[in-house]
Amino acid sequence: MTYLAKPKLHHPSLPTNKLGFTRRDYEGAISTLCAGCGHDSISAAIIQACFELDLPPHRVAKLSGIGCSSKTPTYFLGSSHGFNSVHGRMPSVLTGANLANRELIYMGVSGDGDSASIGLGQFAHSIRRGVNMVYIVENNGVYGLTKGQFSATADKGSKSKRGAANMDEPIDMVALALQLGATYVGRSFSGDKDQLVPLIKGAILHQGAAFIDVISPCVAFNNHAGSTKSYDYVREHNEAVNSLDFITGRTPITTQFAEGTVQDVTQHDGSVIRLRKLHPEYDTHNRIAAMNYLQERQAAGEVVTGLLFMDTDPEDLHAHLGSVEAPFNILDEDALCPGSAALEAFNASLR
Amino acid sequence: MKPITAVNDFVIKFANVNGSGSASANTLFAKAILRMGVPVSPRNIFPSNIQGLPTWYEVRVSGSGYLGRRGGVDLMVAMNPQTWDEDLKEIEAGGYLFHDSSKPLPKSKFREDINIIGMPLTEICNREYSDPRERQLFKNIIYVGALSALLDIDIKAVEKLIGEQYKGKERLLTPNLKALHMGKDFAQANLPKTGLKIAHANSVGDKVFMDGNSAAALGCVYGGATVAAWYPITPSSSLAEAFTRHCHKYRVDKATGKNKFAVIQAEDELASIGIVIGAAWNGARSFTCTSGPGISLMQEFIGLAYFAEIPSVIFDVQRGGPSTGMPTRTQQSDVLSCAYASHGDTKHVLLFPEDPKECFDFGALSFDLADRLQTPIFVLLDLDIGMNDRLCAPLSWDDTRRYDRGKVMHFEDFESGKPFGRYRDVDQDGIAYRTYPGTHPAKGSFFTRGTTKDRDARYSEAGPDYVENMQRLLRKFETAKGLVPAPVERRAKHNTRFGVIYYGSTAPAMSEALDQLDAQGLHVDAMRVRGFPFNDDVGEFIDAHDQIFIVEQNRDGQLRTLVVNECVADPAKLIPVLHYDGSPITARFIVREVVEKLRMFNVAPLRRVAQ
């Protein structure tokens, strides 16, 4: 269960950061996701990024919606406050939290079901408002917790575990984020730690709406009809004992490849995605070029990864609102209440 | 036919076309009477439309200070041909019809039993003005001038108001004053006097004249709200807009010019309440305002706030439902959907202000309650109270008052070793301690979630953990009984076995109805409920009477249902008096219903009367 805490035994020789924390101080509870789930690799990358940035874990607020991805905040930054909100509505809760205290770091973790379907509106509006946050979508194209329905990012023509083909066009969240005005936009692959960790670090340091789409293979993809290891097959051939779900554990998929190159990555279900890592010379400051490049490579059957766009002088929601520097949640009566004299004058204006 | 004669006690109604600019002229008329020391209660009756459809402005003039809608019209200012027939029908026998006589109308278009006062308004305007917009706008001011002559309204009071309205804008001031006098002079020279008069009085005192939405919004400012998230919807939008206005006046840091508030016009109601919950989770006082359809959309989040125990304030300015219902008409029909909002077992705290003064008071109080109880608080206004200007006691504030931030663990508390468990009921009042995110490096962090949990906020699907949690929430609700505003009682002059329970904007009509019943020798004790959960006094009041009338503005007797559910009262004892056509309830209606039902007691079984 998700409340199972990890033993806190530290090896004395574990390296520490400037705050004297080891990497383990950034971990959370034991993951209950399927063995081999890409989401766990993303959690590991977040842990690594926060450790390397010397972040005080308690100054990070981690928020999520509902779904496999939204369970993951339990598995990193155990000393941070977390918030599992409702399905697809993490962005509004995060926005409110950010308004209340602009001094914390806000990490919104969501999935493709959470953000691209029920939460598409909230995703869009939090991005266009410029909420200062790291918005990570752990994108596997499927609803894992409800056993394998297509999500809105599933590729057209891809097949579900039951063999049904998806005939709807996929939503490209990176393209959306670019169009909506995100000031930091990246895409990565859960198994590409070398790329993902710095991408997350950059997003945390960015003072605006940072969005990262992380392709994250789902072990349950393998659970389709025809497989002798599928959930349905096992249930059909396992009459007496119980009706527990069964998902075969897999080794997490990892990859490593050079900037500017293309890599084919085979997922758990045998499907192949073609990742293109941006060239080091790529201009990350041109939003229009980024949108064009993304579409160009997509037409060629490739998925572009890396930091696609960054505004070096971003404005966040607080700047738009002209808010005071002090967090709202520490303002008291003296700062907020106009007092009885002002009220007397107000009364006089109403007679 | 005997013409109606009355001094400081009549109803005048203006029938206009939406978008014709009549609103400011009509308000000018009402305020001028107020400046003469005579209480008025105006009501906008408007369509769900921007332009072109009929709109009315009804002003009750009451030297006695009755502010409820009276019903019937003594003087109709009929400026809308589209509604001519129905406007004429509303005039009391012996009443007056003021109309534009530029085009002659056949005799069949009038009534024999009323007094006709025709003034060629269009003709005068066409002669005087060439610009079509000026013709329209000044026509309104001209009829205000004419009415001032017909009703003996002090023209200086009107002039002064125009002067205040156009202070520093000579270009507008002079022509408005000219139009006013044009109307007055014409009426004095050409029109017959009416039997309706305004005489200077001293019945207004230090009362203020404002609408409930603006007052509630100011209550939010005084109550320390820093985050407001809302989505436009009639009749609540003006609350959010007023909050923004008040904040720009009172909440801008003088040194830096920066804002000590944030107002977000969200993409929908779901996001509005989500933002409120996120801000409140992080320790800021936050609210949203909406009406019935918005409450429907917010249900899931409200359940989260209840179960995860996050302070949040929701102003519901009720309108006619269900569905889109009557968007610009008034009702009290969200009582149950707010009391038990969301799925599963929930109970929410409700506040029922009666006038702008209480909108302000309860607005500010709601944030203390939300923080103290760590739960959603609903302030239930309605269109009648929210959008109409009403006379009320001046707003007041005690400068020694401190915000009640509730049970919050701070850094020092953790350092001192004070134990913390997010959902532990250490004080046995059902309220656990919380802490704001980021408070302490090593202690106090927890997961906020809508799923079940144990006392230390750890995910748990164990039945006993769930039951313990739900029982604690009930204890908390019991604690709320002592924190919400107590009901207000009004005892009849003589001992009586009859009582009446009412709430919210029904109050002015009710107090007039009680006077009228008293004058008829029908003695009824009254209780105005101001909060839910019901204070124990409510149950005692019911026990102390044989029959209780519950007066409300919805079809199904929603407060009555709540009383039956929560006070374990015999439904047969609770007699509903229900008004739900979208117009504000009147004393006439209440008296008629109560008298009729009392008469039925003598001939029908009690349970049938109570249906």
Side-chain angles (χ1 to χ4, degrees), chain A residues 1-3 21 56-64 66 70-102 104 106 118 121-126 128-129 317-326 328-351, chain B residues 34-35 161 164 205-210 214 218 221-227 246 249-251 253 256-268 270-284 297 300-301 304 308 310 360 393-399 401-405 435-451 458-461:
Chain A
M1 301 302 285
T2 53
Y3 56 76
F21 290 131
H58 74 294
R59 302 300 289 174
V60 178
K62 47 188 186 179
L63 299 99
S64 60
I66 298 288
S70 293
K71 286 157 74 80
T72 63
T74 313
Y75 316 136
F76 59 81
L77 300 178
S79 302
S80 301
H81 277 256
F83 196 142
N84 275 142
S85 62
V86 292
H87 200 199
R89 264 56 69 76
M90 172 275 286
S92 64
V93 178
L94 189 152
T95 301
N98 182 293
L99 290 173
N101 183 2
R102 60 192 297 177
L104 300 185
Y106 294 93
I118 187 169
Q122 294 221 339
F123 159 75
H125 289 278
S126 66
R128 68 178 264 269
R129 286 195 183 101
L317 178 59
H318 280 283
H320 300 158
L321 294 169
S323 335
V324 290
E325 293 301 321
F328 287 164
N329 67 358
I330 62 163
L331 300 179
D332 59 11
E333 300 86 355
D334 296 335
L336 298 175
C337 186
S340 61
L343 202 52
E344 279 305 311
F346 183 76
N347 281 328
S349 73
L350 301 172
R351 293 187 178 113
Chain B
L34 205 60
R35 288 286 175 94
L161 281 164
E164 289 169 15
D206 68 343
K207 288 197 177 81
V208 297
F209 189 61
M210 73 181 308
S214 303
L218 194 62
V221 174
Y222 273 73
T226 48
V227 175
H246 294 319
K249 187 172 176 187
Y250 296 118
R251 279 281 189 76
D253 184 64
T256 61
K258 296 279 182 78
N259 297 327
K260 291 181 278 187
F261 66 93
V263 180
I264 302 285
Q265 185 187 312
E267 59 270 29
D268 52 34
L270 289 76
S272 306
I273 186 70
I275 290 169
V276 168
I277 287 170
W281 173 71
N282 223 357
L297 286 166
E300 186 188 19
F301 255 138
L304 174 74
I310 300 168
F360 172 80
L395 310 184
S396 57
W397 188 259
D398 176 2
D399 286 327
R401 177 171 167 174
R402 300 284 96 183
Y403 295 154
D404 179 359
R405 298 309 313 260
T435 183
Y436 305 151
T439 296
H440 193 277
K443 298 174 182 174
S445 71
F446 64 93
F447 239 98
T448 300
R449 45 164 62 94
T451 39
R458 290 173 302 203
Y459 178 82
S460 167
E461 291 180 17

Side-chain angles (χ1 to χ4, degrees), chain B residues 229-535:
Chain B
W230 67 294
Y231 185 71
I233 185 169
T234 303
S236 72
S237 297
S238 61
L239 201 162
E241 286 162 351
F243 180 73
T244 311
R245 210 168 51 242
H246 294 319
C247 281
H248 280 295
K249 187 172 176 187
Y250 296 118
R251 279 281 189 76
V252 178
D253 184 64
K254 283 185 182 128
T256 61
K258 296 279 182 78
N259 297 327
K260 291 181 278 187
F261 66 93
V263 180
I264 302 285
Q265 185 187 312
E267 59 270 29
D268 52 34
E269 285 88 348
L270 289 76
S272 306
I273 186 70
I275 290 169
V276 168
I277 287 170
W281 173 71
N282 223 357
R285 293 190 150 189
S286 56
F287 75 93
T288 186
C289 50
T290 188
S291 69
I295 295 291
S296 297
L297 286 166
M298 293 176 186
Q299 297 279 317
E300 186 188 19
F301 255 138
I302 291 167
L304 174 74
Y306 174 78
F307 200 49
E309 300 181 61
I310 300 168
S312 33
V313 173
I314 301 157
F315 290 88
D316 177 10
V317 189
Q318 298 166 94
R319 64 188 212 183
S323 188
T324 313
M326 294 191 290
T328 59
R329 303 295 199 267
T330 197
Q331 271 188 0
Q332 295 175 310
S333 51
D334 298 341
V335 176
L336 286 174
S337 64
C338 290
Y340 301 124
S342 199
H343 53 270
D345 293 323
T346 57
K347 286 177 198 266
H348 302 293
V349 175
L350 315 178
L351 304 179
F352 306 109
E354 69 158 348
D355 65 2
K357 168 80 165 84
E358 281 194 346
C359 288
F360 172 80
D361 291 342
F362 293 4
L365 172 69
S366 62
F367 296 96
D368 280 350
L369 288 178
D371 272 346
R372 168 57 49 185
L373 293 164
Q374 296 174 33
T375 199
I377 307 291
F378 291 81
V379 188
L380 289 183
L381 289 74
D382 59 30
L383 183 144
D384 186 29
I385 199 174
M387 288 191 73
N388 290 313
D389 285 324
R390 192 176 287 189
L391 269 182
C392 66
L395 310 184
S396 57
W397 188 259
D398 176 2
D399 286 327
T400 63
R401 177 171 167 174
R402 300 284 96 183
Y403 295 154
D404 179 359
R405 298 309 313 260
K407 297 182 184 181
V408 180
M409 291 275 287
H410 298 287
F411 179 82
E412 300 74 26
D413 298 314
F414 287 112
E415 285 292 286
S416 69
K418 192 174 170 183
F420 175 70
R422 174 64 184 101
Y423 297 110
R424 288 181 179 267
D425 191 3
V426 289
D427 302 319
Q428 289 303 301
D429 58 359
I431 306 167
Y433 279 81
R434 69 173 180 144
T435 183
Y436 305 151
T439 296
H440 193 277
K443 298 174 182 174
S445 71
F446 64 93
F447 239 98
T448 300
R449 45 164 62 94
T451 39
T452 82
K453 60 262 174 182
D454 67 9
R455 282 180 286 179
D456 292 317
R458 290 173 302 203
Y459 178 82
S460 167
E461 291 180 17
D465 284 338
Y466 174 80
V467 171
E468 181 188 305
N469 196 36
M470 292 298 278
Q471 286 295 322
R472 183 178 55 73
L473 290 173
L474 275 186
R475 272 200 300 287
K476 180 157 80 168
F477 201 63
E478 195 66 23
T479 300
K481 276 187 184 174
L483 298 175
V484 298
V488 177
E489 282 191 63
R490 170 176 162 172
R491 291 279 167 186
K493 286 178 187 159
H494 301 283
N495 284 342
T496 173
R497 59 194 181 94
F498 296 110
V500 61
I501 290 176
Y502 63 104
Y503 60 103
S505 70
T506 308
M510 193 66 233
S511 63
E512 185 180 359
L514 288 169
D515 285 352
Q516 290 180 14
L517 289 167
D518 191 55
Q520 293 181 33
L522 295 169
H523 303 295
V524 182
D525 290 333
M527 172 171 272
R528 181 165 67 85
V529 172
R530 300 198 296 170
F532 175 74
F534 300 122
N535 184 285

Side-chain angles (χ1 to χ4, degrees), chain A residues 36-71:
Chain A
C37 177
H39 295 358
D40 283 333
S41 304
I42 301 171
S43 293
I46 292 170
I47 289 166
Q48 188 68 24
C50 293
F51 168 73
E52 288 177 11
L53 284 177
D54 307 309
L55 292 184
H58 74 294
R59 302 300 289 174
V60 178
K62 47 188 186 179
L63 299 99
S64 60
I66 298 288
C68 291
S69 61
S70 293
K71 286 157 74 80

Side-chain angles (χ1 to χ4, degrees), chain B residues 4-6 9-13 58-61 70-77 90-98 114-115 117 151 194 196 588:
Chain B
I4 294 173
T5 58
D9 188 10
F10 56 88
V11 173
I12 178 166
K13 190 168 182 176
E58 187 179 289
V59 183
R60 180 174 188 188
V61 181
R70 190 199 70 179
V73 175
D74 300 307
L75 168 59
M76 179 67 75
V77 180
E90 274 197 80
I91 304 170
E92 306 270 291
Y96 304 85
L97 169 72
F98 178 92
I114 57 172
N115 305 286
I117 305 168
L151 303 173
T194 69
L196 307 175
R588 281 183 188 183

